[in-house]
Amino acid sequence: MKKVRIHHFAEMKARGEKITMLTAYDYPTARAFDAAGVDMLLVGDSMGDNMLGMDSTVPLELDEMIPFARAVARGAERAFVVADLPFGTYEVSAEQAVASSIRMMKLSGAEAIKFEGGRRVAAQVKAVTDAGIPFCGHLGFTPQSANALGGHRVQGRGDGGYDALLADAVALQEAGAFAVVLEMVVAPVAEKISAALDIPTIGIGAGAHTDGQVLVWLDAMGVGDWHPRFSRQFAAVGQAMTDGAASYVAAVKGGEFPAAEHSFDE
Ligand code: KIV
């Protein structure tokens, strides 16, 4: 098992090997995905809505994320761990972005930072990478700006859609990003951006021709009964947990559990 490091992503793009990324928010999930060979674990701010029951990612605080990011970093032996900065912790200035990134890196043990936006945050990205912090961008549908984007809308459509996204992606690359997530971008535009950039693109709802793919793990592993159209349920974890819990309830109520082998003698 070879530890995944930042230079491996450029090498994977160069040889056409797809990069795999899943979100993870705790230690056992990180260990399971690490053992499965996932290249990158993302401690996404999607923990706000997916794990903490918030109605969006917007209310999540930096210090709420840190214990989860620390748990993921502890569970990842091979995978490269990227942590999101939540809304409100990097937009104000380059100084704010560097201070938030340093806090996340020092307290969590994550190996890189991700936050949303293109040209509008290029100064922040440059300051973060100048501080020696690996940075992953996030373009297309950016959930923290869902209100400004008019909801969950596919990006890159219409006149100028490609040009604007490409200008944002190039700005991130020039500011030192090592990769960029493209979320809900029309597939031909994502393909052209992937070809135009030196750094890898990681798609989510952006078609098959990005350099890698990322999914929110609860969507990918079938925890809920709904998943977005661009995801696939690769397992039925939610149903397995409900079935297991129902067996437990039946065994306890029926007096079959605990049995002798689960009990301690004097
Ligand atoms: O927070 C998150 O899970 C993300 C992915 C959707 C890329 O940013």
Side-chain angles (χ1 to χ4, degrees), residues 76-234:
E77 282 182 43
R78 174 186 172 275
F80 187 83
V81 177
V82 181
D84 263 345
L85 289 190
F87 180 65
T89 65
Y90 60 90
E91 297 88 342
V92 175
S93 63
E95 290 73 20
Q96 186 201 28
V98 173
S100 299
S101 301
I102 288 175
R103 183 167 176 81
M104 175 60 90
M105 298 286 286
K106 278 173 88 94
L107 296 181
S108 72
E111 294 162 289
I113 293 295
K114 171 169 96 50
F115 52 76
E116 298 178 3
R119 285 163 288 176
R120 69 183 169 86
V121 294
Q124 283 91 323
V125 175
K126 173 93 172 59
V128 166
T129 59
D130 282 350
I133 298 170
F135 178 80
C136 177
H138 186 157
L139 295 173
F141 174 67
T142 44
Q144 294 175 12
S145 319
N147 293 324
L149 294 172
H152 283 66
R153 298 167 71 120
V154 176
Q155 303 294 306
R157 285 194 166 130
D159 288 347
Y162 167 69
D163 292 339
L165 268 176
L166 181 67
D168 282 332
V170 168
L172 294 178
Q173 177 171 278
E174 286 175 352
F178 74 90
V180 58
V181 168
L182 298 178
E183 179 164 355
M184 284 173 64
V185 172
V186 288
V189 165
E191 181 175 3
K192 282 205 281 178
I193 289 174
S194 305
L197 292 185
D198 297 327
I199 58 173
T201 57
I202 317 281
I204 173 166
H209 298 290
T210 51
D211 301 302
Q213 295 290 329
V214 55
L215 288 173
V216 170
W217 87 257
L218 297 99
D219 297 336
M221 300 305 145
V223 171
D225 46 17
W226 176 89
H227 64 88
R229 194 193 130 196
F230 57 71
S231 188
R232 185 200 285 178
Q233 293 188 331
F234 292 86

Side-chain angles (χ1 to χ4, degrees), residues 238-259:
Q239 193 56 53
M241 289 176 73
T242 302
D243 293 348
S247 297
Y248 165 74
V249 169
V252 171
K253 298 223 181 250
E256 299 159 36
F257 180 85

